[in-house]
Amino acid sequence: GAGVSQSPSNKVTEKGKDVELRCDPISGHTALYWYRQRLGQGLEFLIYFQGNSAPDKSGLPSDRFSAERTGESVSTLTIQRTQQEDSAVYLCASSPSSGSWDEQFFGPGTRLTVL
Amino acid sequence: GEDVEQSLFLSVREGDSSVINCTYTDSSSTYLYWYKQEPGAGLQLLTYIFSNMDMKQDQRLTVLLNKKDKHLSLRIADTQTGDSAIYFCADISGNTGKLIFGQGTTLQVKP
């Protein structure tokens, strides 16, 4: 496909379980970002990857959150021991690079509900 | 840290102009953005403005930037029901590409 894809589109889990969210960026995009959008709020930056550089993890809210990226392709966001406050839409975006002007293209998001 | 603030809700009649306002704190912002989010659809870049510009016009959209007051606005002329959505203001954090978003303004367009 031409755009950023994310899976699953919806995930319902029980408190305490681990979840993995997947992002497939646009082919050739070296920068990849994860954001979180809580209900009725704006997007919060979580983490970003740029090529082979060390990822910027400054937005991760706790050590229960981690993310990996394989080369310049797929990324996985993992949340361990999920809590109810983790319920949100998790959005992934990719851009050709991480320059301040490079449009970020967003995926449709994964809606996570923690019961 | 950087912060971006917006009013939460705006209601207009079809055909009127809409003005959505945003303030930001980062004086080193190089680009400021407006994103649109429709129900069931992804976040879409609507327009952007470079920080050395005061105004940018793109068809029905006009972006005004007052860098002294750190105030950004988006004007939509001849607002249509299809413009109903949540509009997010965002700026770039430093030169990292990280976007800092406002809370979003819900625009309701009444027929």
Side-chain angles (χ1 to χ4, degrees):
Chain A
V4 177
S5 60
Q6 293 186 244
S7 61
S9 54
N10 277 286
K11 176 74 177 177
V12 180
T13 190
E14 293 178 349
K15 180 180 168 181
K17 302 273 188 175
D18 297 351
V19 295
E20 278 191 358
L21 312 179
R22 178 187 168 109
C23 172
D24 284 87
I26 293 171
S27 177
H29 281 192
T30 60
L32 186 148
Y33 303 82
W34 283 98
Y35 295 88
R36 175 171 73 175
Q37 185 179 22
R38 288 177 163 149
L39 186 64
Q41 298 187 23
L43 282 73
E44 305 168 71
F45 165 79
L46 296 177
I47 185 170
Y48 99 94
F49 299 87
Q50 170 58 47
N52 295 321
S53 303
D56 179 341
K57 304 179 182 180
S58 59
L60 294 179
S62 79
D63 59 8
R64 296 185 296 105
F65 287 72
S66 62
E68 291 184 351
R69 187 179 186 192
T70 308
E72 292 186 352
S73 65
V74 170
S75 176
T76 303
L77 177 69
T78 302
I79 309 173
Q80 295 179 309
R81 305 181 303 282
T82 51
Q83 303 294 310
Q84 288 181 332
E85 66 260 26
D86 299 334
S87 295
V89 177
Y90 289 82
L91 289 154
C92 174
S94 71
S95 71
S97 76
S98 66
S100 57
W101 172 240
D102 259 324
E103 180 179 350
Q104 292 183 29
F105 295 83
F106 282 82
T110 294
R111 182 175 297 277
L112 175 66
T113 304
V114 182
L115 302 176
Chain B
E2 298 107 352
D3 194 23
V4 177
E5 299 278 341
Q6 299 176 239
S7 52
L8 296 182
F9 186 78
L10 176 66
S11 180
V12 301
R13 292 231 171 257
E14 192 172 19
D16 288 350
S17 292
S18 309
V19 179
I20 302 171
N21 294 300
C22 170
T23 58
Y24 60 97
T25 59
D26 184 1
S27 57
S28 65
S29 293
T30 50
Y31 289 91
L32 294 127
Y33 304 85
W34 285 103
Y35 279 84
K36 179 180 180 182
Q37 186 176 46
E38 295 177 275
L43 207 63
Q44 173 196 357
L45 179 64
L46 205 55
T47 187
Y48 68 94
I49 188 167
F50 187 48
S51 60
N52 69 352
M53 298 168 67
D54 298 324
M55 184 180 87
K56 180 179 179 181
Q57 187 146 5
D58 183 1
Q59 299 182 339
R60 292 190 298 120
L61 305 178
T62 303
V63 179
L64 295 177
L65 176 61
N66 181 329
K67 203 171 176 184
K68 174 175 167 288
D69 295 337
K70 300 194 184 70
H71 182 267
L72 182 73
S73 68
L74 173 69
R75 179 177 181 269
I76 306 173
D78 186 26
T79 313
Q80 304 296 306
T81 53
D83 295 323
S84 294
I86 303 175
Y87 291 81
F88 291 94
C89 169
D91 80 349
I92 282 285
S93 171
N95 56 7
T96 64
K98 294 187 287 189
L99 290 168
I100 308 297
F101 284 86
Q103 314 94 305
T105 300
T106 298
L107 175 63
Q108 179 189 64
V109 183
K110 297 179 181 175

